[in-house]
Amino acid sequence: MKSIIDRDGVRWISEDVLKRYLGIDQSYLKSEARYKYRKTLPPSQRDLSVLPDTGKSWRYAKFFDKFYYDLNRIPDRAPTRYRSQLPPVEELMKKERSRDEVVEDLCQGLDRAMKNDWHDFIHYYAGDNNRPQLARGAACLHFLSREYHDCTDQRAFVMDAIKACRLMSAPYMPSSYRLLRERMDAYISGTEVNELVFLPRAGNQNALSIDDPDIFSWMVKLRAMPQNYSNAHIIREMQRLCSTFGKECPSSSWFYSQLSTEKMKFITSSRFGAKGRFANEFTPTMNIANAIFAGDCWQIDGTRVNFVEHMGPNGKRRSLFMVCLRDVYSGDILGTWFGAAENRWAYIHVLKMAVSATGKRPYELVIDRFPGHNTEEWQHVEKGIRQMGTKVTYAHKATGKAQIERWIETLQSVFMSRSKYYYGEGVNSGRRHANPAIEHMALVRKEARYEGFDFDMAWQEAMLVINAYRDTPYSKYSRKFRHLDKSPRQLHEESETPNMKKVELWQQVSLFGQQTSVKIRRDGLIKIEVMKVPYTFRVMDLEVIANHENVTLIYELDDLSVAHLFTRDEQMDLICEVREERAIQVYGPNAELGRVSELKSLFRQLQEYKESERNAIIEEGYSEFDLLTGSTLHKDDKENAETRYLMERAKDWVDHGQPRIPAEDVNLFDSDEEETISVNVLDQI
């Protein structure tokens, strides 16, 4: 740094030269010379780097962060005669120019020592904090001591060395003439370098004037309280406690220094709570690896869409909410729902959408305790997917589903910000670019009202944002994945799914549908009521009509044209599929006579099925009743019974070629008492 600068015909002398030749201290130049000269200027010119010349004493300028003074404006009034104490201008410039060259050479030597020679001194500071900087300071002291030993004017050399150390920011080198000379003399005499270059105030206990454990205890307790008091409030409370108990109260600066230490911040971090804005600074973290395959884990979360309010059905301005299901491996969005608030139907919908799209269930499903997680509808879905083998995890904190939390932030800052309806990241964001200007948002809301921005326009705009994310390669916006030229949709489609299991269609129906117990009428008709709207279904399978009466009907709210019947037991086996049957219009030009014919045909088939099943059972064998009640039977039935009997007997009789022998007379009463003989009437026919 030059001691004398010529600029625009003015010679500027550095502050160091004036202090060396005139014996002026820093406080005089700051509070007297510069302060009084600033007062001679208007306020608009006081902060210029080169102050204008007003003709007053001590005009100054600032070059290279150093103060310089106009040589012609150095006062020469009695009794100080500052200007007369300086050497002639040419002699002063010659002296200072040679000293500038010496300082420049010293700066180059210090630079080489800090860059190349510090490794030779690192072993002196084993176990010390900031070892590299201490070794660089030792290398600088070694270089300066060597030059100091060979120079002729040691006093001038020490002054130049102080200036060079200041310019090069030599670490742990003293800025005092006496200290630097003493250290160089001690090093030359054989003192170890680690005894001369060391951490400042290492082991110094001079500032520890307060060692009362009660004061430390009160201070830590006040700082750790969940009220999160300010430093000023804690100091006032400490002063009150010290006055109450007769203790000597430390100064306010001592309290500020103690409250600002890193250890105090660390041990009292509980004052921020578990979810505060500053709590994450002291929260322990884990390095979690990503999923290996698609379907290893699905995460579901809901959030407000950061769009301006849309017009609701009742004329009120409302915000749009969305619930998304995200695959952890690929980042693809497999299910999306939009509405006015989070609820159980939203989570059921996105899970159903993902299962229907993939035809499989994940290995693990991670959700939070959303509004409605304990309702009967969600409990049915959770129980069903658990029974299939999926692990369901409730994340009580945002860190439990950190991937989807960070994804929401990425969606807002990268993709949602392209929409003209985007209003920013929210009030909790501390980024300078978090929110647009208030005037801009007023124009956006005005334009949205003019366009009729309603719920349909809001969710369609949000869906465009979701699709843009799904189809954009990661390398377009992510530094972490700058070499990944595939989109989330491509990653999910190309990934293997060894941990996902197939979910059959009937399993999807039983898992996500709404259940109700119904009774099948004998003509196959089923009637239910959904949200006070009647619906009718028709069973077309004759076997189901004949064999089932009390069953479980499962339907989906978004499609009531089809429903499914299951048995009313714990297994809930699928019986059949039924379709909605609308009432038949038989009047007017739009009469549906074809449907009437179809139903009549069904009824005929049902009647024929009844008769065929009944006759099949009757024809399996003959009945004694048919033979003994011949007078009341139809002639055909009686003859059929006799024919069946004779045909069965004919199969059992075998002709041995022997003559028929009449049966011997049988004495019906061998004993004295009369016995009752059981005679089979059929044997007498």
Side-chain angles (χ1 to χ4, degrees), residues 31 43 58 64 93 109 112 134 175 217 250 293 298 345 359 424 467 480 498 508 531 543 595 670:
S31 59
W58 297 112
F64 313 109
M93 292 182 64
R112 289 192 301 270
L134 288 169
S175 58
S217 175
F293 300 104
W298 289 353
W345 304 115
N467 289 331
K480 181 179 180 181
Q508 299 181 26
M531 297 181 182
E543 291 285 347
R595 292 184 57 198
D670 291 339

Side-chain angles (χ1 to χ4, degrees), residues 278-506:
F278 305 101
N280 293 334
E281 182 179 353
F282 302 97
T283 302
T285 59
M286 296 184 186
N287 188 16
I288 304 298
N290 195 23
I292 301 177
F293 300 104
D296 283 359
C297 182
W298 289 353
Q299 294 179 349
I300 308 179
D301 195 19
T303 184
R304 183 197 302 266
V305 180
N306 292 10
F307 287 165
V308 296
E309 301 81 3
H310 63 270
M311 185 66 68
N314 53 0
K316 295 183 178 180
R317 311 298 298 178
R318 307 186 68 174
S319 298
L320 182 68
F321 284 81
M322 72 174 181
V323 176
C324 296
L325 186 148
R326 181 178 182 271
D327 178 62
V328 173
Y329 165 76
S330 62
D332 194 16
I333 303 302
L334 305 178
T336 311
W337 175 91
F338 299 100
E342 289 185 64
N343 52 46
R344 60 190 183 279
W345 304 115
Y347 281 72
I348 294 175
H349 176 83
V350 296
L351 183 57
K352 175 189 172 184
M353 186 175 179
V355 173
S356 300
T358 60
K360 299 179 180 180
R361 58 173 178 81
Y363 174 79
E364 182 180 7
L365 178 67
V366 179
I367 55 177
D368 57 4
R369 297 194 179 277
F370 57 89
H373 71 278
N374 54 354
T375 57
E376 181 180 354
E377 291 81 4
W378 174 254
Q379 292 295 327
H380 166 73
V381 175
E382 180 184 346
K383 179 181 177 182
I385 201 167
R386 283 183 186 271
Q387 290 177 347
M388 293 180 184
T390 295
K391 177 183 177 183
V392 180
T393 303
Y394 281 93
H396 303 280
K397 299 180 181 179
T399 53
K401 46 184 176 57
Q403 290 84 355
I404 194 169
E405 295 285 350
R406 289 194 295 267
W407 168 78
I408 291 175
E409 182 179 353
T410 301
L411 187 72
Q412 293 175 354
S413 59
V414 178
F415 298 94
M416 204 174 289
S417 57
R418 303 174 184 174
S419 174
K420 64 178 181 180
Y421 303 108
Y422 178 67
Y423 66 71
E425 296 181 4
V427 295
N428 291 330
S429 178
R431 297 171 179 154
R432 299 179 67 89
H433 61 272
N435 303 103
I438 298 177
E439 297 79 6
H440 171 74
M441 293 312 304
L443 294 176
V444 171
R445 287 185 169 90
K446 181 178 180 181
E447 184 178 355
R449 288 193 297 269
Y450 177 77
E451 295 176 352
F453 189 62
D454 56 2
F455 175 77
D456 290 336
M457 294 180 64
W459 77 260
Q460 290 172 8
E461 183 75 13
M463 201 65 210
L464 291 176
V465 173
I466 298 274
N467 289 331
Y469 161 77
R470 296 185 67 191
D471 296 327
T472 302
Y474 281 104
S475 59
K476 296 294 184 181
Y477 58 89
S478 175
R479 292 193 301 268
K480 181 179 180 181
F481 301 108
R482 58 184 178 274
H483 301 300
L484 183 58
D485 296 328
K486 292 185 179 180
S487 65
R489 192 196 300 267
Q490 291 174 325
L491 283 176
H492 190 272
E493 292 175 352
E494 297 174 3
S495 173
E496 299 178 0
T497 57
N499 299 321
M500 297 181 69
K501 303 301 179 183
K502 185 177 181 181
V503 180
E504 301 292 344
L505 180 60
W506 66 270

